[in-house]
Amino acid sequence: MARIRVMMVDDHAVFRAGVRLLVEAQPDMEVVGEAREGGEALQKARQLRPDVLVMDITMPGINGLEATRQIRRELPEVRVLVLTVHSDDEYFFRALEAGASGYVLKEAAAEEMIAAIRAVAYGGVVLYPSLARRLLEDYLQRVTTGEERESHEKLTDRERQVLALIAQGHTNQEIAKALTLSVYTVQTHRSHIMDKLDLHSKAQLMKYAIRMGFLRGAPGSGLADGKDATTN
């Protein structure tokens, strides 16, 4: 079986070296490249086409969020796992909006980071545990009041399919191909979803999708749909 090809992007050489040791100790992974900032990451990603790009946020030059946006636009097959010190929910949703498939804090245990790389490589989405708990609590409160059920029932089956794929980090082009639709139709469905749910940004849309369990796992699950992955 082919190994997961990992590329690391972080401006701290010592941190990259530590992550490299962890990744290369795994029998199913290999590090194919490193970059110090977003612009270099984009150039090397074009050449190396890694399966998973482990991306820091705060770096000189092009930051990790903008680099993620550009890489996912140009190389949609490359999955991005953000590895950062920022525990703010806003950064998490901005990362998902940029196209990242997961978000892990640098304080996480080595086993969590490795599991996250595997999950992302196999199409899963990763949430760090404290955010997952907050989303679950919010979801349960809304279920109790009936608010979530009422909003969910406003969506058509097709809109729920589109929402699920958005939550899994797919681009409009990927969704169109998966559902045999035009990109324009996908954009129209996205607009209708946001209107029906009274959402005003992609970050709000992602938060709703996560709460509702559209990541093919229970709301608030740490890892979703990752083959051979373990939950946090």
Side-chain angles (χ1 to χ4, degrees):
M1 183 177 179
R3 290 192 289 178
I4 299 169
R5 303 175 72 254
V6 180
M7 179 177 155
M8 299 176 301
V9 186
D10 195 290
D11 59 327
H12 293 97
V14 172
F15 184 79
R16 293 199 310 271
V19 174
R20 175 182 280 274
L21 287 174
L22 287 172
V23 171
E24 292 189 335
Q26 309 305 311
D28 60 338
M29 298 182 186
E30 62 178 328
V31 175
V32 297
E34 299 181 17
R36 293 167 294 179
E37 54 84 28
E40 183 184 10
L42 179 57
Q43 293 177 359
K44 290 192 173 181
R46 289 173 180 149
Q47 300 168 358
L48 301 171
R49 303 296 174 109
D51 299 312
V52 177
L53 201 158
V54 179
M55 177 79 74
D56 190 17
I57 289 181
T58 306
M59 297 180 291
I62 298 177
N63 66 42
L65 296 176
E66 180 57 32
T68 296
R69 184 174 291 106
Q70 293 185 27
I71 288 168
R72 287 289 294 157
R73 183 185 304 122
E74 185 173 332
L75 306 168
E77 73 279 7
V78 176
R79 312 290 287 183
V80 177
L81 173 67
V82 170
L83 183 61
T84 179
V85 299
H86 297 292
S87 60
D88 192 313
D89 293 0
E90 180 64 23
Y91 275 106
F92 169 76
F93 288 109
R94 286 173 62 191
L96 287 189
E97 186 171 6
S101 296
Y103 195 100
V104 175
L105 301 183
K106 287 185 175 180
E107 66 188 37
E111 296 80 9
E112 290 179 300
M113 185 193 70
I114 293 299
I117 292 173
R118 288 196 181 99
V120 167
Y122 290 114
V125 178
V126 181
L127 290 72
Y128 63 94
S130 60
L131 173 63
R133 284 194 295 272
R134 288 197 294 275
L135 290 175
L136 178 58
E137 290 168 358
D138 186 33
Y139 171 81
L140 292 175
Q141 181 178 356
R142 288 169 178 266
V143 167
T144 300
T145 62
E147 182 178 346
E148 289 290 16
R149 184 181 65 254
E150 291 173 4
S151 65
H152 183 64
E153 289 174 351
K154 296 177 182 177
L155 303 181
T156 66
D157 289 342
R158 178 64 85 187
E159 287 167 349
R160 292 170 190 170
Q161 287 179 311
V162 170
L163 180 56
L165 292 170
I166 292 172
Q168 292 159 27
H170 295 288
T171 64
N172 287 342
Q173 290 77 9
E174 290 172 331
I175 295 171
K177 183 177 180 180
L179 300 180
T180 318
L181 301 171
S182 70
V183 173
Y184 175 78
T185 300
V186 172
Q187 292 171 336
T188 300
H189 282 310
R190 182 193 293 256
S191 178
H192 288 167
I193 291 167
M194 296 183 73
D195 287 343
K196 288 181 179 181
L197 300 178
D198 193 26
L199 303 175
H200 306 287
S201 69
K202 185 177 178 182
Q204 291 180 348
L205 183 65
M206 294 296 299
K207 187 173 183 179
Y208 174 87
I210 292 167
R211 283 204 316 265
M212 292 299 292
F214 278 109
L215 299 185
R216 301 184 197 170
S221 59
L223 299 176
D225 198 39
K227 188 185 300 180
D228 296 332
T230 57
T231 56
N232 291 316

